[in-house]
């Protein structure tokens, strides 16, 4: 059941990203500061909706899974994150997602 839920969640992430204008996506990923700013705004929205840090981290984890699989890093920071994501075990990736949420708060 967990794999099926994960597939549904990844489909939602892919759906959202596929609807995003390429120019907007390029703008967000062009610099790490812009990426953090974008994440910050999404974390704020999640918090206003009452999402816990755990839920925000799980969402960040799904987005990171997508980015690692479908987007090339565009700067040194994104490259480091992708490399850490690739070598990390599931628990480590989850902790990294928590750290990213806290980084952008």
């Amino acid at each position: 059941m967990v794999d099926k839920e994960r597939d549904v969640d990844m489909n939602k992430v892919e759906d959202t990203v596929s609807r995003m204008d390429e120019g907007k996506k390029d703008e967000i990923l062009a610099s790490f500061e812009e990426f953090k700013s974008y994440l910050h705004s999404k974390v704020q929205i999640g918090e206003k909706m009452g999402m816990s840090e755990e839920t925000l981290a799980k969402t960040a984890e799904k987005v990171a899974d997508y980015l690692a699989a479908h987007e090339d890093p565009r700067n040194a920071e994104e490259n480091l994150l992708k490399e850490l994501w690739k070598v990390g075990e599931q628990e480590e990736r989850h902790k990294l997602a928590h750290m990213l949420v806290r980084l952008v708060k």
Side-chain angles (χ1 to χ4, degrees):
M1 184 70 169
V2 173
D3 288 338
K4 188 173 182 174
E5 288 175 8
R6 187 165 187 80
D7 288 345
V8 169
D9 289 338
M10 280 307 293
N11 287 341
K12 287 180 185 177
V13 169
E14 289 177 14
D15 215 32
T16 300
V17 174
S18 70
R19 285 183 280 137
M20 184 179 285
D21 176 75
E22 281 296 318
K24 179 66 175 170
K25 186 168 55 171
D26 287 341
E27 182 183 314
I28 293 165
L29 297 174
S31 82
F32 191 62
E33 289 305 314
E34 185 62 35
F35 178 68
K36 287 189 328 185
S37 176
Y38 178 79
L39 287 178
H40 172 77
S41 68
K42 298 306 177 194
V43 166
Q44 280 189 318
I45 290 168
E47 287 178 327
K48 287 178 183 173
M49 293 172 56
M51 294 172 78
S52 68
E53 184 177 316
E54 181 64 22
T55 302
L56 292 167
K58 285 180 180 179
T59 303
E61 202 174 338
K62 290 173 185 73
V63 171
D65 280 341
Y66 175 85
L67 291 173
H70 297 95
E71 295 292 332
D72 290 326
R74 300 194 177 131
N75 52 61
E77 296 88 351
E78 289 173 11
N79 191 53
L80 175 61
L81 286 173
K82 184 172 183 171
E83 291 300 315
L84 289 171
W85 203 256
K86 283 185 348 186
V87 300
E89 301 287 329
Q90 178 60 38
E91 184 179 330
E92 293 166 324
R93 289 177 178 184
H94 186 69
K95 288 181 190 279
L96 183 55
H98 270 281
M99 291 189 309
L100 285 169
V101 168
R102 279 185 253 141
L103 176 68
V104 301
K105 278 189 175 184

